[in-house]
Amino acid sequence: GAGVSQSPSNKVTEKGKDVELRCDPISGHTALYWYRQSLGQGLEFLIYFQGNSAPDKSGLPSDRFSAERTGGSVSTLTIQRTQQEDSAVYLCASSTKWGAGTDTQYFGPGTRLTVL
Amino acid sequence: QQQVKQSPQSLIVQKGGISIINCAYENTAFDYFPWYQQFPGKGPALLIAIRPDVSEKKEGRFTISFNKSAKQFSLHIMDSQPGDSATYFCAASGRSNYQLIWGAGTKLIIKP
């Protein structure tokens, strides 16, 4: 079975442009997470979706960041007016069951974003 | 109180040696402690996990040791191999929390 996929794998953009990053979770997984990983750093939680519940957006660093999840499956992370400090790898993960912290998170390969 | 502190930041071990990575937490409500392994260009993947009702869990060459009173847990990699070279993250969560609280990661290099 397919794992979590993310696209594009690499994105280079100019400062001030908007970007959209896509995540296709494992089929049937109800929970979906977005993380940001700066070079050589740990995982920074951004946003969490669980089924049809309102997402937990508490990790979004600014109002330039937004995310949606359509039909309980595919998710898109949008960064508006990108800044150089947004350069990082953006990771998506999904998990089954009820998205409890004890559920295994399955990660995609990430999208490497470079803002020039 | 939500933090998980991981050390060392980087570690170099000779092939065949024992790699040890440590994590400490403050929140006594945490009851699930996984370790994730990340290779360059890949997302993290679950390696091994433990609950506080046991003090040790072993899977092949990988062992988690858990000290509930000290609020510490560690990953031991026995007979370390070059293929173990990766970044390792510890994490913790509580029963009522959907979020994993992540350590900062340890970059492990195994020298042939």
Side-chain angles (χ1 to χ4, degrees):
Chain A
V4 177
S5 61
Q6 292 187 245
S7 61
S9 55
N10 281 284
K11 177 72 176 178
V12 180
T13 190
E14 293 180 348
K15 178 181 173 181
K17 300 284 189 182
D18 298 351
V19 296
E20 284 190 352
L21 312 179
R22 177 187 168 105
C23 172
D24 282 87
I26 293 173
S27 177
H29 280 194
T30 59
L32 187 147
Y33 304 78
W34 281 99
Y35 294 92
R36 180 168 68 176
Q37 186 174 32
S38 299
L39 186 62
Q41 301 299 309
L43 299 171
E44 177 188 3
F45 166 79
L46 297 178
I47 189 169
Y48 162 77
F49 294 90
Q50 169 57 10
N52 295 320
S53 302
D56 176 358
K57 305 179 183 179
S58 61
L60 295 178
S62 77
D63 58 7
R64 295 187 296 105
F65 289 72
S66 62
E68 62 178 20
R69 188 178 185 191
T70 54
S73 181
V74 172
S75 178
T76 302
L77 177 69
T78 301
I79 309 174
Q80 296 178 310
R81 305 181 302 281
T82 52
Q83 303 295 313
Q84 288 182 331
E85 60 263 29
D86 300 333
S87 295
V89 174
Y90 289 81
L91 291 162
C92 174
S94 69
S95 69
T96 187
K97 298 181 182 177
W98 300 105
T102 54
D103 295 341
T104 300
Q105 293 187 22
Y106 296 85
F107 284 82
T111 293
R112 181 175 297 278
L113 175 67
T114 303
V115 181
L116 300 177
Chain B
Q1 205 184 21
Q2 281 289 86
Q3 283 186 327
V4 175
K5 295 182 179 179
Q6 184 172 346
S7 63
Q9 188 174 15
S10 62
L11 180 62
I12 300 174
V13 175
Q14 292 290 334
K15 178 183 174 182
I18 302 173
S19 304
I20 302 174
I21 304 170
N22 301 298
C23 285
Y25 63 98
E26 289 294 325
N27 190 343
T28 55
F30 287 154
D31 64 355
Y32 175 70
F33 304 90
W35 286 88
Y36 280 72
Q37 179 188 54
Q38 183 180 29
F39 292 107
K42 305 289 187 182
L46 179 66
L47 182 64
I48 186 173
I50 197 169
R51 291 190 181 274
D53 52 344
V54 295
S55 60
E56 186 176 282
K57 182 173 181 179
K58 185 176 181 179
E59 290 185 3
R61 296 183 294 108
F62 299 89
T63 300
I64 299 179
S65 296
F66 184 80
N67 186 329
K68 188 174 182 178
S69 60
K71 291 184 285 187
Q72 295 176 347
F73 59 109
S74 60
L75 176 69
H76 293 64
I77 306 174
M78 311 300 288
D79 186 26
S80 299
Q81 298 296 312
D84 298 329
S85 297
T87 298
Y88 292 81
F89 293 95
C90 64
S93 71
R95 201 161 295 164
S96 60
N97 193 353
Y98 53 79
Q99 277 198 42
L100 280 173
I101 307 302
W102 296 86
T106 296
K107 184 173 183 179
L108 174 64
I109 297 172
I110 307 300
K111 283 196 162 183

